[in-house]
């Protein structure tokens, strides 16, 4: 197969993501021989760097992965640099010439990956020029990798999609949601469909409710400006939380093909119940914004850099979500995400119905981060003479060795893009339906009086209303 023969063009080569994630990911792929002599990468950015300077920078960024310095030196010889102004057509001609030259030198079979690690506003500018200046080849594959955010609401996402489609077909567009690169997230599929123990209880008859919780300890850090226009609903719910929900709620695909998997996820996202009124929102959706911490050491959101001092941006979101599919009738999916919460936890909890009065329900917990683990809570007889049951956990933690060997999120996603496997990239219809869901909430919020922010302390578990939301459903956050 010629798939791993390729020339990658990276827009945003001097950026933070490239140094932190992308170069180490390419190096890990090089170490495991998923890419080798037939691979070249052209880095572009505005700065006037030389190849040597660029290679030095790449070398520094992969230091923690290097076991053999000679091998690392050899790796960086595959890297080339081209200063570039994304608006200048002439520059694309230079890029094309360089890519054609490297294609010959590295026998790359006309295969191209274009990775745009720049502001989404530049996606259509770049793809327009890639097409206009003939950077797409006829004799190999052409793939585009882009990062979130994909638009800022449904309408802007449609516009962006229409622009991209002028240069790339949907199956050539690889939209990264880094949650889909996490190894344990992939495992949801196996856990659900490869275990008799799970397969037959993963439904409305056995499950009481499902909780998806993405809590973060950090605040908005240095991203105040971005966050002000996005807020948690667009930053975490529209993408990561709904992707996890889709994986938990989808039916078994007819095959393991990427198309079949994505089709089932789309079906879930298409069938999320939309809220019908502001009362419906009040009943089922909670928003919050953090105040300073109790001890005053952590600042309030409104005191963060580049944040308005009367900002109404939400940093916390919780909702009872319903999936309008017969197999999920009556099963609430509670999702929440927040900045500056008491702890960093990314986990999914499946709470089963109790089997009798005074019995604790079984629970299945998938810990995505910071630990990578599963736990099943089952009832056993308490030690002693009486027959009372007690709930105990059966746990599986990935070992350090497994975690070490597990491909890192970007490594896995770049590998899958090279393989042409789109399963773990979000399809346009997933993005579109997720936006419709979030837009519906934001539209209704806009019809409501201004929220009474801030309404939770930094380093806490969010506003009281979030606990009340679950209390109304006779449950509580795990
Ligand atoms: C990003 C968000 O997509 O995900 C950030 O923009 C957030 O605001 C991050 O902090 C969380 O990712 P993870 O992998 O640390 O849970």
């Amino acid at each position: 197969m010629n798939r791993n023969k390729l020339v990658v063009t990276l827009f945003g080569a001097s950026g933070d993501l490239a140094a932190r994630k992308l170069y180490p990911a390419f190096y890990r792929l090089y170490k495991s021989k998923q890419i080798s002599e037939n691979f070249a990468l052209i880095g572009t950015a505005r700065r006037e760097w030389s190849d040597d300077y660029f290679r030095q920078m790449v070398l520094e960024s992969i230091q923690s992965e290097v076991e053999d310095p000679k091998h690392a030196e050899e790796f960086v010889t595959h890297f080339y640099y081209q200063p570039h102004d994304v608006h200048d057509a002439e520059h694309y001609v230079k890029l094309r010439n360089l890519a054609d030259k490297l294609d010959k030198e590295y026998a790359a079979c006309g295969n191209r990956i274009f990775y745009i690690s720049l502001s989404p506003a530049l996606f259509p500018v770049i793809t327009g020029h890639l097409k206009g200046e003939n950077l797409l080849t006829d004799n190999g594959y052409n793939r585009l990798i882009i990062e979130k955010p994909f638009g800022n609401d449904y309408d802007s996402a449609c516009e962006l999609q229409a622009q991209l489609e002028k240069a790339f077909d949907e199956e050539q567009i690889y939209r990264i949601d880094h949650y889909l690169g996490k190894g344990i997230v992939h495992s949801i599929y196996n856990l659900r469909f490869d275990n008799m123990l799970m397969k037959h209880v993963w439904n409305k008859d056995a499950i009481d409710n499902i909780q998806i919780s993405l809590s973060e300890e950090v605040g908005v850090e240095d991203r105040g400006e971005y966050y002000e226009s996005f807020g948690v609903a667009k930053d975490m719910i529209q993408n990561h939380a709904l992707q996890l929900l889709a994986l938990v709620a989808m039916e078994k695909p007819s095959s393991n093909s990427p198309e079949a998997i994505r089709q089932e996820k789309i079906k879930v996202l298409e069938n999320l119940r939309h809220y019908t009124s502001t009362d419906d929102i009040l009943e089922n959706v909670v928003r919050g914004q953090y105040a300073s911490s109790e001890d005053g050491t952590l600042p309030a959101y409104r005191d963060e850099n580049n944040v308005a001092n009367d900002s109404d941006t939400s940093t916390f979101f919780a909702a009872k979500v319903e999936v309008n599919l017969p197999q999920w009738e009556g099963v609430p999916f509670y999702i929440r995400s927040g900045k500056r919460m008491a702890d960093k936890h990314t986990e999914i909890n499946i709470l089963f119905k109790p089997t009798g009065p005074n019995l604790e329900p079984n629970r299945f917990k998938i810990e995505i981060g910071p630990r990578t683990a599963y736990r099943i809570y089952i009832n056993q007889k308490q030690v002693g003479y009486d027959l009372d049951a007690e709930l105990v956990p059966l746990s599986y933690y990935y070992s350090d060795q497994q975690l070490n060997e597990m491909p890192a999120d970007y490594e896995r996603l770049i590998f899958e893009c090279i393989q042409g496997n789109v399963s773990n990239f979000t399809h346009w219809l997933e993005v579109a339906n997720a936006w419709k869901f979030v837009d519906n909430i934001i539209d209704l919020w806009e019809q409501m009086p201004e929220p009474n922010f801030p309404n939770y302390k930094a380093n806490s578990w969010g506003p009281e209303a979030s606990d009340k939301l679950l209390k109304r459903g006779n449950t509580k956050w795990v």
Side-chain angles (χ1 to χ4, degrees), residues 211-240:
Q211 300 181 13
I212 299 175
S213 199
L214 286 62
S215 69
E216 296 191 89
E217 238 181 299
V218 293
V220 287
E221 301 173 290
D222 55 358
R223 296 159 77 221
E225 194 183 333
Y226 153 81
Y227 206 82
E228 275 287 85
S229 62
F230 263 69
V232 62
K234 296 182 180 187
D235 185 49
M236 294 292 281
I237 303 299
Q238 190 271 346
N239 36 70
H240 311 319

Side-chain angles (χ1 to χ4, degrees), residues 171 189 192-193 246-247 249-270 420-425 427 429-430:
E171 63 274 17
Y189 189 93
R192 289 193 51 193
F193 302 121
L247 287 168
M250 74 179 191
E251 281 207 87
K252 187 171 167 56
S254 54
S255 75
N256 281 342
S257 73
E259 294 72 29
I261 294 173
R262 298 211 296 190
Q263 205 178 336
E264 288 305 330
K265 285 171 67 193
I266 292 167
K267 206 186 285 169
V268 172
L269 295 168
E270 263 171 2
N421 179 356
V422 287
S423 335
N424 293 306
F425 294 86
H427 188 278
L429 291 176
E430 293 175 62

Side-chain angles (χ1 to χ4, degrees), residues 355 358-363 376-384 386-394:
T355 51
N358 307 322
L359 278 173
E360 287 286 332
N362 294 133
R363 173 153 65 91
I376 298 180
Y377 291 78
I378 59 162
N379 279 302
Q380 70 156 5
K381 194 187 90 61
Q382 271 183 14
V383 176
D386 62 35
L387 288 176
D388 286 350
E390 67 173 350
L391 203 64
V392 294
L394 304 179

Side-chain angles (χ1 to χ4, degrees), residues 1-6 29 33-35 113 141 143 174 258 411-423 425:
M1 273 305 210
N2 287 333
R3 286 180 190 146
N4 60 356
K5 302 180 176 180
L6 74 158
L29 290 171
K33 300 198 167 41
Q34 303 297 348
I35 48 177
I113 289 182
Y141 61 69
R143 294 177 185 151
Y174 290 68
E411 176 189 359
R412 179 190 297 274
L413 292 171
I414 293 169
F415 169 77
E416 289 182 356
C417 175
I418 292 171
Q419 297 302 307
N421 179 356
V422 287
S423 335
F425 294 86

Side-chain angles (χ1 to χ4, degrees), residues 208 415 461:
D208 182 77
F415 169 77
W461 284 107

